[in-house]
C-alpha cells in the first residue's frame, strides 16, 4: 500500500483554532479562580492577556455551558455550579482510584463486600465497591448512590465524628430525607452517633436491609474531621459475635494505610474505641 494521505480538514492547521479556544477558556477559568468575589470583565481580560471582546465571547460560551455565571447586581463573573459538579466528580474518581487496592485487599481478606464513601454536603456517596468471594452477596449500595449522613454504616462512620453542632444542623437540614428511612428520627440517630463514638466504628444491624449487618470506620484528617469511610456488609451471621473484633481490626488497619496514602498520616488518629477513651455523644450531653 502507498503512503496514507491525511485530508486537509484533519491537518494541524484546521485544529489550531479550536485548540486555541480551549486554551483561552482554560486560562480564563484559572484566572477566575483567583477572584473569590467574582471578576469584572476588564480585570479578567487583563489577567489573561486577552482582548475584552474575546474575553466577553468566551465568558458567554462558558455561561451557556453552565461553567460560569454572572451576578446581575454586581456584573461580576463567577465560577458556576457546573464546574463544581465536575470538581466533585474528579475528586470522587481520584479517591476511588487511590482506594481501590485497599478495598481489594479487604475483600480478599474478609470475602465480604467492601465500600468506600465520602461526604458531599449532607450526604454520603459511595465512590467504590469491591465484592468478596463469599457466595451470598450483600450489594446494598451501588457506586454513585447517595444517602443522608447517618444512614448506613459508611455514612454513619462519616456522620458520627462531626462536631455536635454540625450533626444537629444536618439532622434538621435532612429531616424530610431521613423520614424515608425508618429508625432514623432525631433521637434514634443521636443514639447511633453516641454508640459509634463509644465503639470507634459504626455497626448497623438489619436496619437498611433485613438479614444484613454492616460496619464502618472513618478516615480522619489532621483536625480529627472525617473525610472518608471504609465499610463492610454481609449477612448477619458474618457481622456478629467475635468476628466483629476481627473485622474492626482489618478495616482499621486498611483505613490507617489509606490515610497515609492520602497524605493524612501525620494527622490520622484512631477513633475513641481504639484509644480506650469513650467519647460523649450529643445524646449523652
Amino acid at each position: 500500500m502507498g503512503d496514507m494521505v491525511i485530508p486537509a480538514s484533519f491537518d494541524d492547521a484546521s485544529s489550531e483554532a479550536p485548540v486555541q479556544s480551549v486554551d483561552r477558556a482554560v486560562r480564563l477559568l484559572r484566572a477566575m479562580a483567583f477572584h473569590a468575589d467574582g471578576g469584572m470583565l476588564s480585570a479578567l481580560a487583563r489577567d489573561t492577556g486577552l482582548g475584552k471582546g474575546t474575553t466577553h465571547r468566551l465568558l458567554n460560551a462558558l455561561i451557556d455551558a453552565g461553567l460560569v455565571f454572572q451576578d446581575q447586581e454586581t456584573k461580576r463573573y463567577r465560577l458556576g455550579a457546573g464546574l463544581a459538579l465536575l470538581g466533585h466528580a474528579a475528586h470522587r474518581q481520584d479517591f476511588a482510584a487511590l482506594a481501590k487496592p485497599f478495598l481489594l485487599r479487604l475483600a480478599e481478606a474478609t470475602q465480604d463486600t467492601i465500600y468506600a464513601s465520602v461526604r458531599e454536603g449532607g450526604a454520603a456517596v459511595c465512590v467504590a465497591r469491591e465484592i468478596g468471594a463469599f457466595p451470598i452477596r450483600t450489594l446494598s449500595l451501588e457506586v454513585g448512590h447517595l444517602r443522608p449522613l447517618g444512614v448506613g454504616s459508611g455514612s454513619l462512620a462519616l456522620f458520627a465524628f462531626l462536631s455536635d453542632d454540625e450533626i444537629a444542623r444536618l439532622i434538621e437540614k435532612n429531616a424530610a430525607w431521613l423520614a424515608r428511612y425508618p429508625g432514623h428520627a432525631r433521637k434514634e440517630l443521636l443514639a447511633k452517633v453516641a454508640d459509634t463514638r463509644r465503639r470507634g466504628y459504626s455497626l448497623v444491624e438489619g436496619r437498611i436491609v433485613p438479614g444484613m449487618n454492616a460496619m464502618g470506620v472513618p478516615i480522619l484528617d489532621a483536625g480529627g474531621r472525617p473525610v472518608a469511610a471504609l465499610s463492610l456488609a454481609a449477612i448477619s451471621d458474618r457481622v456478629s459475635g467475635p468476628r466483629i473484633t476481627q473485622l474492626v481490626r482489618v478495616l482499621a488497619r486498611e483505613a490507617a494505610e489509606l490515610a497515609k496514602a492520602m497524605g493524612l498520616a501525620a494527622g490520622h488518629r484512631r477513633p475513641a474505641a481504639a484509644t480506650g477513651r469513650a467519647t460523649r455523644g450529643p445524646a449523652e450531653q
Side-chain angles (χ1 to χ4, degrees), residues 227-242:
V227 296
L230 298 180
S231 56
L232 175 150
I235 58 173
S236 300
D237 289 346
R238 292 182 61 77
V239 189
S240 61

Side-chain angles (χ1 to χ4, degrees), residues 183-199:
H184 290 83
R186 183 179 184 278
K187 183 177 180 180
E188 295 167 302
L189 200 47
L190 290 177
K192 295 176 192 295
V193 166
D195 288 342
T196 300
R197 288 179 173 181
R198 183 170 56 251
R199 284 190 298 255

Side-chain angles (χ1 to χ4, degrees), residues 235-268:
I235 58 173
S236 300
D237 289 346
R238 292 182 61 77
V239 189
S240 61
R243 191 169 189 253
I244 288 181
T245 302
Q246 300 170 14
L247 294 175
V248 169
R249 188 178 299 118
V250 295
L251 280 170
R253 181 182 66 229
E254 293 299 334
E257 291 301 314
L258 180 52
K260 291 179 184 177
M262 296 170 68
L264 303 175
H268 180 74

